[in-house]
Amino acid sequence: MAGKEEEQPGRLSLLLGLARGGDSDAFGELFSVAYQELCVLARARLRPHRGGAPLDTSALVHETFLRFANSGSLRVEHRPHFFRYASHVMRSVIIDTVREQRAQRRGGDVVHQELPTQLPAFHDGTEQEILRVHEALEGLSQSDPRLVDVVQMRYFGGLTEQEIALALGVTERTVRRD
């Protein structure tokens, strides 16, 4: 068994040289040979997070491999440099995962709709115009009912931002933003 452990660093160094030279088979085999050590490194990176880790060990090692593969070329000189760089990539993966999770909690995938802030003054519009406004409000009611209230009070009721804020129990700034 000791002979096999001594063989790993030599094999890893050989594969690093071949992968640096552009050998894609060597690149794939490099991660197979280094997999167990990368798992140990990943566990060490995830240990401070204990139960709240954003990834598991395997996912972190696999994402690290993908980032190495997507970088285009392997620019590490030797075994310690490889693991130092792998540690850096793992950190980057963990940080990106945490940021993505935080963004999702803050509504990162919510589609924002912008509406014009200047609504046309109500005039004796045609029936066609009144129906178009009604249809627009119907569509808007699916995504944000409060916006419908703001538009109705402003367009049909002619209320000011202050009056709308008071009626809805929100600030004037919220009404302006809506």
Side-chain angles (χ1 to χ4, degrees), residues 4-16 33 79:
K4 192 158 188 120
E5 286 178 14
E6 291 173 13
E7 186 179 303
Q8 285 293 82
R11 178 83 176 132
L12 192 64
S13 296
L14 174 67
L15 291 170
L16 277 170
V33 170
R79 187 177 184 282

Side-chain angles (χ1 to χ4, degrees), residues 56-76:
D56 64 17
T57 303
S58 296
L60 181 54
V61 171
H62 294 150
E63 183 63 30
T64 299
F65 171 76
L66 290 174
R67 292 207 183 173
F68 265 93
N70 289 335
S71 71
S73 66
L74 189 61
R75 296 186 190 103
V76 293

